[in-house]
Amino acid sequence: MKLVLVFEAGGMRNAFTSGVLTALWTHGLRSQHVKSVYACSSATATALFFSSNQLPETTRIWQDELTSFRALNPARLLMLDYPADLDYVVD
């Protein structure tokens, strides 16, 4: 039996998509088990990494970017702003 995967995206939703796919990857799901992959927007990169069996790379990118001081900076609270630079995170 072959699966068809549909990846939802739109900024931060791709972080969730990547996390779920990583959990499936950990349990042995690979591109050879999938008949088709459909993706849009930011999920396209995740789909490409999955399709080329390089999914751990996209997980590393998400972790590096979202834990960087650029993405989350508590000093922004002193400026009465959100601690996360939302424009950076969405980009």
Side-chain angles (χ1 to χ4, degrees):
M1 181 171 87
K2 294 273 186 167
L3 299 172
V4 174
L5 297 178
V6 179
F7 297 144
E8 179 187 28
M12 290 303 297
R13 283 184 287 221
N14 187 39
F16 178 78
T17 299
S18 295
V20 169
L21 194 55
T22 298
L24 294 172
W25 178 276
T26 302
H27 287 86
L29 181 67
R30 298 293 186 273
S31 62
Q32 61 265 28
H33 304 122
V34 177
K35 180 179 179 180
S36 299
V37 176
Y38 298 93
C40 65
S41 191
S42 63
T44 304
T46 302
L48 290 171
F49 278 114
F50 173 78
S51 297
S52 62
N53 287 317
Q54 298 179 40
L55 187 65
E57 181 65 14
T58 191
T59 304
R60 184 196 60 75
I61 291 169
W62 273 109
Q63 288 173 340
D64 290 351
E65 291 298 321
L66 293 179
T67 58
S68 74
F69 195 65
R70 174 85 167 107
L72 184 60
N73 182 352
R76 291 172 59 89
L77 289 172
L78 297 174
M79 299 178 287
L80 302 176
D81 200 358
Y82 294 106
D85 183 341
L86 298 179
D87 291 331
Y88 175 78
V89 171
V90 170
D91 287 344

Coordinates of all heavy atoms in Angstrom, one line a residue:
M1 N 0.8 -1.2 0.0 CA 0.0 0.0 0.0 C 0.9 1.3 0.0 O 1.8 1.3 0.7 CB -0.9 0.0 1.2 CG -1.8 1.2 1.3 SD -3.0 1.1 2.6 CE -2.1 1.8 3.9
K2 N 0.6 2.2 -0.9 CA 1.3 3.5 -0.9 C 0.5 4.6 -0.4 O -0.7 4.6 -0.5 CB 1.7 3.8 -2.4 CG 2.7 2.8 -3.0 CD 4.1 3.3 -2.7 CE 5.0 2.4 -3.4 NZ 6.4 2.9 -3.4
L3 N 1.1 5.5 0.3 CA 0.4 6.7 0.9 C 0.5 7.9 0.0 O 1.4 8.0 -0.9 CB 1.1 7.1 2.2 CG 1.1 6.0 3.3 CD1 2.0 6.5 4.4 CD2 -0.3 5.8 3.8
V4 N -0.4 8.8 0.2 CA -0.3 10.1 -0.5 C -0.2 11.1 0.7 O -1.1 11.1 1.6 CB -1.6 10.4 -1.3 CG1 -1.5 11.9 -1.8 CG2 -1.6 9.4 -2.5
L5 N 0.8 12.0 0.7 CA 0.9 13.0 1.7 C 0.6 14.4 1.2 O 0.9 14.7 0.1 CB 2.4 13.0 2.2 CG 2.9 11.8 2.9 CD1 4.3 11.9 3.3 CD2 2.0 11.4 4.1
V6 N -0.2 15.2 2.0 CA -0.5 16.5 1.7 C 0.0 17.4 2.8 O -0.4 17.2 4.0 CB -2.0 16.7 1.5 CG1 -2.4 18.2 1.2 CG2 -2.6 15.8 0.5
F7 N 0.9 18.3 2.5 CA 1.6 19.2 3.5 C 0.9 20.5 3.5 O 0.9 21.2 2.5 CB 3.1 19.3 3.2 CG 3.8 18.0 3.3 CD1 4.9 17.8 2.5 CD2 3.5 17.0 4.2 CE1 5.6 16.6 2.5 CE2 4.2 15.9 4.3 CZ 5.3 15.7 3.5
E8 N 0.4 20.9 4.6 CA -0.2 22.3 4.8 C 1.0 23.2 5.2 O 1.9 22.8 5.8 CB -1.2 22.2 5.9 CG -1.8 23.6 6.1 CD -2.8 23.6 7.3 OE1 -2.6 22.8 8.2 OE2 -3.7 24.5 7.3
A9 N 0.9 24.4 4.7 CA 1.9 25.3 5.1 C 1.3 26.7 5.5 O 0.1 26.8 5.8 CB 2.9 25.5 3.9
G10 N 2.1 27.7 5.3 CA 1.6 29.0 5.7 C 2.4 29.5 6.9 O 1.9 29.4 8.0
G11 N 3.6 29.9 6.7 CA 4.4 30.3 7.8 C 4.7 29.3 8.9 O 5.3 28.2 8.6
M12 N 4.3 29.5 10.1 CA 4.6 28.6 11.2 C 3.9 27.3 11.2 O 4.3 26.3 11.8 CB 4.2 29.3 12.5 CG 5.1 30.5 12.8 SD 6.9 30.0 12.9 CE 6.9 28.9 14.3
R13 N 2.8 27.1 10.4 CA 2.2 25.8 10.3 C 3.1 24.8 9.7 O 3.0 23.6 10.0 CB 0.9 25.9 9.5 CG -0.2 26.5 10.2 CD -1.5 26.5 9.4 NE -1.3 27.4 8.3 CZ -2.3 28.2 7.9 NH1 -3.5 28.1 8.5 NH2 -2.1 29.1 7.0
N14 N 4.1 25.2 8.9 CA 5.1 24.3 8.4 C 6.0 23.7 9.5 O 6.5 22.6 9.4 CB 5.9 24.9 7.3 CG 6.8 23.9 6.6 OD1 6.4 22.8 6.4 ND2 8.0 24.3 6.4
A15 N 6.2 24.4 10.6 CA 7.0 23.9 11.7 C 6.2 22.7 12.3 O 6.8 21.7 12.6 CB 7.2 25.0 12.8
F16 N 4.9 22.8 12.4 CA 4.1 21.7 12.9 C 4.2 20.5 11.9 O 4.4 19.4 12.3 CB 2.6 22.1 13.1 CG 1.7 21.0 13.6 CD1 1.8 20.6 14.9 CD2 0.9 20.4 12.7 CE1 0.9 19.5 15.3 CE2 0.1 19.3 13.1 CZ 0.1 18.9 14.4
T17 N 4.0 20.8 10.6 CA 4.1 19.8 9.6 C 5.4 19.1 9.7 O 5.5 17.8 9.6 CB 3.9 20.4 8.2 OG1 2.6 21.1 8.1 CG2 4.0 19.4 7.1
S18 N 6.5 19.8 9.8 CA 7.8 19.2 9.9 C 7.9 18.3 11.1 O 8.5 17.2 11.1 CB 8.9 20.3 10.0 OG 8.9 21.0 8.7
G19 N 7.4 18.8 12.2 CA 7.4 18.0 13.5 C 6.7 16.7 13.3 O 7.2 15.6 13.7
V20 N 5.5 16.7 12.8 CA 4.7 15.5 12.6 C 5.4 14.5 11.6 O 5.5 13.3 11.9 CB 3.3 15.8 12.1 CG1 2.5 14.5 11.6 CG2 2.5 16.5 13.1
L21 N 5.9 15.1 10.5 CA 6.6 14.3 9.5 C 7.9 13.7 10.1 O 8.2 12.5 9.9 CB 7.0 15.1 8.3 CG 7.4 14.3 7.1 CD1 6.3 13.3 6.7 CD2 7.6 15.3 5.9
T22 N 8.6 14.4 11.0 CA 9.8 13.9 11.7 C 9.4 12.7 12.6 O 10.2 11.7 12.6 CB 10.5 15.0 12.5 OG1 10.9 16.0 11.5 CG2 11.7 14.5 13.2
A23 N 8.3 12.8 13.3 CA 7.8 11.7 14.1 C 7.6 10.5 13.3 O 7.9 9.3 13.6 CB 6.6 12.1 14.9
L24 N 6.9 10.6 12.1 CA 6.7 9.5 11.2 C 8.0 9.0 10.6 O 8.2 7.8 10.5 CB 5.7 10.0 10.1 CG 4.3 10.3 10.5 CD1 3.6 10.9 9.3 CD2 3.6 9.1 11.0
W25 N 8.9 9.9 10.3 CA 10.3 9.5 9.8 C 11.0 8.6 10.9 O 11.6 7.6 10.5 CB 11.1 10.8 9.6 CG 12.5 10.5 9.1 CD1 13.6 10.3 9.8 CD2 12.9 10.5 7.7 NE1 14.7 10.2 9.1 CE2 14.3 10.3 7.8 CE3 12.3 10.7 6.5 CZ2 15.1 10.3 6.6 CZ3 13.1 10.6 5.4 CH2 14.4 10.4 5.4
T26 N 10.8 9.0 12.2 CA 11.5 8.3 13.2 C 10.9 6.8 13.3 O 11.7 5.9 13.7 CB 11.2 9.0 14.6 OG1 11.8 10.3 14.5 CG2 11.9 8.3 15.7
H27 N 9.7 6.7 12.9 CA 9.1 5.3 12.9 C 9.2 4.6 11.6 O 8.5 3.6 11.3 CB 7.6 5.4 13.3 CG 7.4 5.7 14.8 ND1 7.5 7.0 15.3 CD2 7.3 4.9 15.8 CE1 7.3 7.0 16.6 NE2 7.2 5.7 16.9
G28 N 10.1 5.1 10.7 CA 10.4 4.4 9.5 C 9.7 4.8 8.2 O 10.0 4.2 7.1
L29 N 8.9 5.9 8.2 CA 8.3 6.4 6.9 C 9.4 7.0 6.1 O 10.0 8.0 6.5 CB 7.2 7.4 7.2 CG 6.5 7.9 6.0 CD1 5.7 6.8 5.3 CD2 5.5 9.0 6.3
R30 N 9.5 6.6 4.8 CA 10.5 7.1 3.9 C 9.7 7.4 2.6 O 8.6 6.9 2.3 CB 11.7 6.2 3.6 CG 12.5 5.9 4.9 CD 13.2 7.1 5.4 NE 14.2 6.8 6.4 CZ 13.8 6.8 7.7 NH1 12.6 7.0 8.1 NH2 14.8 6.5 8.6
S31 N 10.4 8.1 1.7 CA 9.8 8.5 0.4 C 9.4 7.3 -0.4 O 8.4 7.4 -1.2 CB 10.7 9.4 -0.4 OG 11.9 8.8 -0.7
Q32 N 10.1 6.2 -0.3 CA 9.7 5.0 -1.1 C 8.4 4.4 -0.7 O 7.8 3.6 -1.4 CB 10.8 4.0 -1.1 CG 11.2 3.4 0.3 CD 12.3 4.1 0.9 OE1 12.6 5.3 0.6 NE2 13.1 3.4 1.8
H33 N 7.9 4.8 0.5 CA 6.6 4.3 1.0 C 5.4 5.2 0.5 O 4.3 4.9 0.8 CB 6.5 4.3 2.5 CG 7.6 3.4 3.1 ND1 8.5 3.9 4.0 CD2 7.9 2.1 2.9 CE1 9.4 3.0 4.3 NE2 9.0 1.9 3.7
V34 N 5.7 6.3 -0.2 CA 4.8 7.3 -0.5 C 4.6 7.4 -2.0 O 5.6 7.4 -2.8 CB 5.2 8.7 0.0 CG1 4.2 9.8 -0.4 CG2 5.3 8.6 1.6
K35 N 3.3 7.3 -2.5 CA 3.0 7.4 -3.9 C 3.2 8.8 -4.4 O 3.8 9.1 -5.5 CB 1.6 6.9 -4.2 CG 1.2 6.9 -5.6 CD -0.2 6.4 -5.8 CE -0.6 6.4 -7.3 NZ -1.9 5.9 -7.5
S36 N 2.6 9.8 -3.7 CA 2.6 11.2 -4.1 C 2.8 12.1 -2.9 O 2.3 11.8 -1.8 CB 1.3 11.6 -4.9 OG 1.2 10.8 -6.0
V37 N 3.4 13.3 -3.2 CA 3.5 14.3 -2.2 C 3.0 15.6 -2.7 O 3.4 16.0 -3.8 CB 4.9 14.5 -1.7 CG1 5.1 15.6 -0.7 CG2 5.5 13.2 -1.1
Y38 N 2.0 16.3 -2.0 CA 1.5 17.6 -2.5 C 1.8 18.6 -1.4 O 1.7 18.3 -0.2 CB 0.0 17.5 -2.7 CG -0.4 16.5 -3.8 CD1 -0.7 15.2 -3.5 CD2 -0.4 16.9 -5.1 CE1 -1.1 14.3 -4.5 CE2 -0.8 16.1 -6.1 CZ -1.1 14.8 -5.8 OH -1.4 13.9 -6.8
A39 N 2.3 19.7 -1.8 CA 2.7 20.7 -0.8 C 2.5 22.1 -1.4 O 2.5 22.3 -2.6 CB 4.1 20.6 -0.4
C40 N 2.3 23.1 -0.5 CA 2.2 24.5 -1.0 C 3.1 25.4 -0.1 O 3.4 25.0 1.1 CB 0.8 24.9 -1.0 SG 0.0 25.0 0.6
S41 N 3.4 26.5 -0.6 CA 4.1 27.5 0.2 C 5.3 27.0 0.9 O 6.1 26.3 0.3 CB 3.1 28.2 1.2 OG 3.6 29.3 1.8
S42 N 5.5 27.3 2.2 CA 6.7 26.9 2.9 C 6.8 25.4 3.1 O 7.9 24.9 3.3 CB 6.8 27.6 4.3 OG 5.7 27.2 5.1
A43 N 5.8 24.7 2.9 CA 5.9 23.2 3.1 C 6.5 22.6 1.9 O 6.9 21.4 1.9 CB 4.5 22.6 3.3
T44 N 6.7 23.3 0.8 CA 7.4 22.8 -0.4 C 8.8 22.3 0.0 O 9.2 21.3 -0.5 CB 7.4 23.8 -1.5 OG1 6.0 24.2 -1.8 CG2 8.0 23.2 -2.8
A45 N 9.5 23.1 0.7 CA 10.9 22.8 1.1 C 10.9 21.5 2.0 O 11.7 20.6 1.8 CB 11.5 23.9 1.9
T46 N 9.9 21.4 2.9 CA 9.8 20.2 3.7 C 9.5 19.0 2.9 O 10.1 17.9 3.1 CB 8.7 20.4 4.8 OG1 9.0 21.5 5.6 CG2 8.6 19.1 5.7
A47 N 8.6 19.1 1.9 CA 8.3 18.0 1.0 C 9.5 17.6 0.2 O 9.8 16.4 0.0 CB 7.2 18.4 0.1
L48 N 10.3 18.6 -0.3 CA 11.5 18.2 -1.0 C 12.6 17.5 -0.2 O 13.2 16.5 -0.6 CB 12.1 19.5 -1.6 CG 11.3 20.1 -2.8 CD1 11.9 21.5 -3.1 CD2 11.3 19.2 -4.0
F49 N 12.8 18.0 1.1 CA 13.7 17.3 1.9 C 13.2 15.9 2.2 O 14.0 14.9 2.2 CB 13.9 18.0 3.3 CG 14.8 19.2 3.2 CD1 14.4 20.5 3.4 CD2 16.2 18.9 3.0 CE1 15.3 21.5 3.3 CE2 17.1 19.9 3.0 CZ 16.7 21.2 3.2
F50 N 11.9 15.7 2.4 CA 11.3 14.4 2.7 C 11.5 13.5 1.4 O 12.0 12.3 1.5 CB 9.8 14.4 3.0 CG 9.2 13.1 3.1 CD1 9.4 12.3 4.2 CD2 8.4 12.6 2.0 CE1 8.8 11.0 4.3 CE2 7.9 11.4 2.1 CZ 8.1 10.6 3.2
S51 N 11.2 14.0 0.3 CA 11.2 13.2 -1.0 C 12.7 12.8 -1.3 O 12.8 11.7 -1.9 CB 10.7 14.1 -2.1 OG 9.3 14.3 -1.9
S52 N 13.6 13.6 -0.9 CA 15.0 13.2 -1.1 C 15.7 12.5 0.0 O 16.9 12.3 0.1 CB 15.9 14.4 -1.5 OG 15.9 15.3 -0.4
N53 N 14.8 12.0 1.0 CA 15.2 11.3 2.2 C 16.3 12.1 3.0 O 17.2 11.5 3.5 CB 15.8 9.9 1.8 CG 14.6 9.0 1.4 OD1 13.6 8.9 2.1 ND2 14.8 8.2 0.4
Q54 N 16.1 13.4 3.1 CA 17.0 14.2 3.9 C 16.2 15.0 4.9 O 16.5 16.1 5.3 CB 17.7 15.2 3.0 CG 18.6 14.6 2.0 CD 19.2 15.6 1.1 OE1 19.6 16.7 1.5 NE2 19.3 15.3 -0.2
L55 N 15.1 14.4 5.4 CA 14.2 15.1 6.4 C 14.9 15.6 7.6 O 14.6 16.7 8.1 CB 13.0 14.3 6.7 CG 12.0 15.0 7.6 CD1 11.3 16.1 6.8 CD2 10.9 14.0 8.1
P56 N 15.9 14.9 8.2 CA 16.5 15.4 9.4 C 17.1 16.8 9.2 O 17.2 17.6 10.1 CB 17.6 14.4 9.7 CG 17.0 13.1 9.2 CD 16.3 13.5 7.9
E57 N 17.5 17.1 8.0 CA 18.1 18.5 7.7 C 17.1 19.6 7.9 O 17.4 20.6 8.4 CB 18.6 18.5 6.2 CG 19.2 19.8 5.8 CD 20.5 20.1 6.6 OE1 21.1 19.3 7.3 OE2 20.9 21.3 6.5
T58 N 15.8 19.4 7.4 CA 14.8 20.4 7.6 C 14.5 20.6 9.1 O 14.2 21.7 9.6 CB 13.5 20.1 6.8 OG1 12.7 21.3 6.8 CG2 12.7 19.0 7.3
T59 N 14.5 19.5 9.9 CA 14.3 19.6 11.3 C 15.4 20.4 12.0 O 15.1 21.2 12.8 CB 14.2 18.2 11.9 OG1 13.2 17.4 11.3 CG2 13.9 18.2 13.4
R60 N 16.6 20.2 11.6 CA 17.7 20.9 12.1 C 17.6 22.4 11.8 O 17.8 23.3 12.7 CB 19.1 20.4 11.6 CG 20.3 21.1 12.2 CD 21.5 20.9 11.4 NE 21.5 21.4 10.0 CZ 21.5 22.7 9.7 NH1 21.6 23.6 10.6 NH2 21.5 23.0 8.4
I61 N 17.2 22.7 10.6 CA 17.0 24.1 10.2 C 15.9 24.8 11.1 O 16.1 25.9 11.6 CB 16.6 24.2 8.7 CG1 17.8 23.8 7.9 CG2 16.1 25.6 8.4 CD1 17.5 23.7 6.4
W62 N 14.8 24.1 11.3 CA 13.7 24.7 12.1 C 14.2 24.9 13.5 O 14.0 26.0 14.1 CB 12.5 23.8 12.1 CG 11.5 24.1 11.0 CD1 11.3 23.3 10.0 CD2 10.7 25.2 10.9 NE1 10.4 23.8 9.1 CE2 10.0 25.0 9.7 CE3 10.5 26.4 11.6 CZ2 9.1 26.0 9.2 CZ3 9.6 27.3 11.2 CH2 8.9 27.1 10.0
Q63 N 14.9 23.9 14.1 CA 15.4 24.1 15.5 C 16.4 25.2 15.6 O 16.4 26.0 16.5 CB 16.1 22.8 15.9 CG 15.1 21.7 16.2 CD 15.7 20.3 16.5 OE1 16.8 20.1 16.2 NE2 14.9 19.5 17.1
D64 N 17.3 25.3 14.6 CA 18.4 26.3 14.7 C 17.7 27.7 14.5 O 18.1 28.6 15.3 CB 19.4 26.2 13.5 CG 20.3 25.0 13.8 OD1 20.3 24.4 14.9 OD2 21.1 24.6 12.8
E65 N 16.8 27.9 13.6 CA 16.2 29.2 13.4 C 15.3 29.6 14.6 O 15.3 30.8 15.0 CB 15.4 29.2 12.1 CG 16.3 29.1 10.9 CD 17.3 30.3 10.8 OE1 16.9 31.5 11.1 OE2 18.4 30.1 10.4
L66 N 14.5 28.7 15.0 CA 13.5 29.1 16.1 C 14.1 29.2 17.4 O 13.5 29.8 18.3 CB 12.3 28.1 16.1 CG 11.5 28.1 14.8 CD1 10.3 27.1 14.9 CD2 10.9 29.5 14.6
T67 N 15.3 28.7 17.7 CA 15.9 28.8 19.0 C 17.0 29.9 18.9 O 17.7 30.1 19.9 CB 16.5 27.5 19.5 OG1 17.4 27.0 18.5 CG2 15.4 26.5 19.7
S68 N 17.1 30.6 17.8 CA 18.1 31.6 17.7 C 17.7 32.9 18.4 O 16.5 33.1 18.7 CB 18.4 32.0 16.2 OG 17.3 32.7 15.7
F69 N 18.7 33.7 18.8 CA 18.4 34.9 19.5 C 17.6 35.9 18.6 O 16.9 36.7 19.1 CB 19.7 35.5 20.0 CG 19.5 36.6 21.1 CD1 19.0 36.3 22.3 CD2 19.9 37.9 20.8 CE1 18.8 37.2 23.3 CE2 19.7 38.9 21.8 CZ 19.2 38.5 23.0
R70 N 17.8 35.7 17.3 CA 17.1 36.6 16.4 C 15.6 36.3 16.4 O 14.7 37.2 16.4 CB 17.6 36.4 15.0 CG 16.9 37.1 13.9 CD 17.4 38.5 13.7 NE 16.8 39.0 12.5 CZ 15.9 39.9 12.5 NH1 15.4 40.4 13.6 NH2 15.4 40.4 11.3
A71 N 15.2 35.0 16.6 CA 13.8 34.7 16.6 C 13.1 35.0 17.9 O 12.0 35.5 18.0 CB 13.6 33.2 16.3
L72 N 13.8 34.8 19.0 CA 13.2 35.0 20.3 C 14.2 35.8 21.2 O 15.2 35.3 21.5 CB 12.9 33.6 21.0 CG 12.2 33.7 22.3 CD1 10.8 34.4 22.2 CD2 12.0 32.3 22.9
N73 N 13.8 37.0 21.5 CA 14.7 37.9 22.2 C 13.9 38.5 23.3 O 13.2 39.5 23.1 CB 15.3 39.0 21.2 CG 16.2 39.9 21.9 OD1 16.4 39.9 23.1 ND2 16.9 40.7 21.1
P74 N 14.2 38.0 24.6 CA 13.4 38.6 25.7 C 13.7 40.1 25.9 O 12.8 40.8 26.5 CB 14.0 37.8 26.9 CG 14.5 36.5 26.3 CD 15.0 36.9 24.9
A75 N 14.8 40.6 25.4 CA 15.1 42.1 25.6 C 14.0 42.9 24.8 O 13.8 44.1 25.2 CB 16.5 42.4 25.0
R76 N 13.3 42.3 23.9 CA 12.3 43.1 23.2 C 11.1 43.4 24.1 O 10.4 44.4 23.8 CB 11.8 42.2 22.0 CG 12.8 42.1 20.9 CD 12.3 41.1 19.8 NE 11.0 41.5 19.2 CZ 10.9 42.3 18.1 NH1 12.0 42.7 17.5 NH2 9.7 42.6 17.7
L77 N 11.0 42.7 25.2 CA 10.0 43.0 26.2 C 10.2 44.4 26.8 O 9.3 45.1 27.2 CB 9.9 42.0 27.3 CG 9.3 40.6 26.9 CD1 9.5 39.6 28.0 CD2 7.9 40.7 26.5
L78 N 11.5 44.8 26.9 CA 11.8 46.1 27.5 C 11.3 47.2 26.6 O 11.1 48.3 27.0 CB 13.3 46.2 27.7 CG 13.9 45.2 28.7 CD1 15.4 45.4 28.7 CD2 13.3 45.5 30.1
M79 N 11.2 46.9 25.3 CA 10.7 47.9 24.3 C 9.1 47.8 24.2 O 8.5 48.3 23.3 CB 11.3 47.7 23.0 CG 12.8 47.8 23.0 SD 13.6 47.5 21.4 CE 13.4 45.7 21.2
L80 N 8.5 47.1 25.2 CA 7.1 46.8 25.1 C 6.6 46.2 23.8 O 5.6 46.6 23.2 CB 6.3 48.1 25.4 CG 6.6 48.8 26.7 CD1 5.9 50.1 26.9 CD2 6.3 47.9 27.9
D81 N 7.4 45.2 23.4 CA 7.1 44.5 22.2 C 7.0 43.0 22.5 O 7.4 42.6 23.6 CB 8.2 44.8 21.2 CG 7.8 44.5 19.7 OD1 6.7 44.1 19.5 OD2 8.7 44.8 18.8
Y82 N 6.6 42.2 21.5 CA 6.6 40.8 21.6 C 8.0 40.3 21.7 O 8.9 40.8 21.0 CB 5.9 40.1 20.5 CG 4.4 40.4 20.3 CD1 4.0 41.3 19.4 CD2 3.5 39.8 21.2 CE1 2.6 41.6 19.3 CE2 2.2 40.1 21.1 CZ 1.7 41.0 20.1 OH 0.4 41.3 20.1
P83 N 8.3 39.2 22.5 CA 9.7 38.7 22.6 C 10.1 38.0 21.3 O 11.3 37.9 21.1 CB 9.6 37.7 23.8 CG 8.2 37.4 23.9 CD 7.4 38.6 23.5
A84 N 9.2 37.6 20.5 CA 9.5 37.0 19.2 C 9.5 38.0 18.1 O 8.5 38.8 18.1 CB 8.6 35.9 18.9
D85 N 10.5 38.0 17.3 CA 10.4 38.9 16.1 C 9.6 38.2 15.1 O 10.0 37.3 14.3 CB 11.9 39.1 15.5 CG 11.9 40.0 14.4 OD1 10.9 40.2 13.7 OD2 13.0 40.5 14.0
L86 N 8.3 38.5 15.1 CA 7.3 37.7 14.2 C 7.6 37.8 12.8 O 7.4 36.8 12.0 CB 5.9 38.2 14.5 CG 5.4 38.0 16.0 CD1 4.0 38.6 16.2 CD2 5.5 36.6 16.4
D87 N 8.1 38.9 12.3 CA 8.4 39.0 10.8 C 9.5 38.1 10.5 O 9.5 37.4 9.5 CB 8.8 40.5 10.5 CG 7.7 41.4 10.6 OD1 6.5 41.0 10.3 OD2 7.9 42.6 10.8
Y88 N 10.5 38.0 11.4 CA 11.7 37.1 11.1 C 11.2 35.6 11.1 O 11.5 34.8 10.2 CB 12.8 37.3 12.1 CG 13.9 36.3 12.0 CD1 14.9 36.4 11.0 CD2 14.0 35.2 12.9 CE1 15.9 35.5 10.9 CE2 15.0 34.3 12.7 CZ 16.0 34.5 11.8 OH 17.0 33.6 11.6
V89 N 10.4 35.3 12.1 CA 9.9 33.9 12.3 C 9.1 33.5 11.1 O 9.2 32.4 10.5 CB 9.1 33.7 13.6 CG1 8.5 32.4 13.6 CG2 10.1 33.9 14.8
V90 N 8.2 34.3 10.6 CA 7.3 34.0 9.5 C 8.2 33.9 8.2 O 8.0 33.0 7.4 CB 6.2 35.1 9.3 CG1 5.5 34.9 8.0 CG2 5.2 34.9 10.5
D91 N 9.1 34.8 8.0 CA 10.0 34.7 6.8 C 10.8 33.4 6.8 O 11.0 32.8 5.9 CB 11.0 35.9 6.8 CG 10.3 37.2 6.4 OD1 9.1 37.1 5.9 OD2 10.9 38.3 6.6

